[in-house]
Amino acid sequence: MIAIYPGSFDPVTFGHIDIIERGSHLFEWVIVAVLRNPSKTPLFTVEQRLIQIRQSISHLDNVEVASFEGLTVDYAKLRKAQVLLRGLRVLSDFEMELQMAHTNKTLSDTIETVFLATSNEYSFLSSSVVKEIAKFGGSVDHLVPNHVAIDINRCYARN
């Protein structure tokens, strides 16, 4: 069974990697799908995020990293995926993700959404939190892989 784990991953965090690793044990193939969203201004380009994620999960044989634009369910159909994998941290995540899962079900009744509760140590962690800490000079080494922390520090050193 193929699962798609969609997101912006700007930047990828240890929380994302936790979901990817756990998903790789549950599904035959996991595709980490970075959304190309022209209406947002991310910290990193899609290409940079793809590289960061690939380096972070290189130890996983059944995980692929790709990018897409448009509707997630359309990309899932294109890739012959049966599952959308989503991580849940807090109650507000659940409300938003459940709404999205119901919406996706109206677009394709053949694709299921599977939620994984985040591991306790990552329950507070988001890409936004990482960027906020880094923006004000705080260390993010404990929140993201080393190569990603270096990239983040370079970005904020330029600004």
Side-chain angles (χ1 to χ4, degrees), residues 8 18 27 39 52-53 67 71 87-88 91 102 125 131 133 138:
S8 60
D18 176 58
F27 301 101
S39 64
Q52 290 171 344
I53 298 166
S67 65
L71 295 173
L88 297 175
L91 186 58
H102 288 304
L125 184 54
K131 289 186 278 194
I133 292 169

Side-chain angles (χ1 to χ4, degrees), residues 129-141 152-153 156-157:
V129 165
V130 170
K131 289 186 278 194
E132 187 77 9
I133 292 169
K135 180 179 178 181
F136 292 104
S139 173
V140 295
D141 296 351
I152 292 168
N153 291 333
Y156 286 111

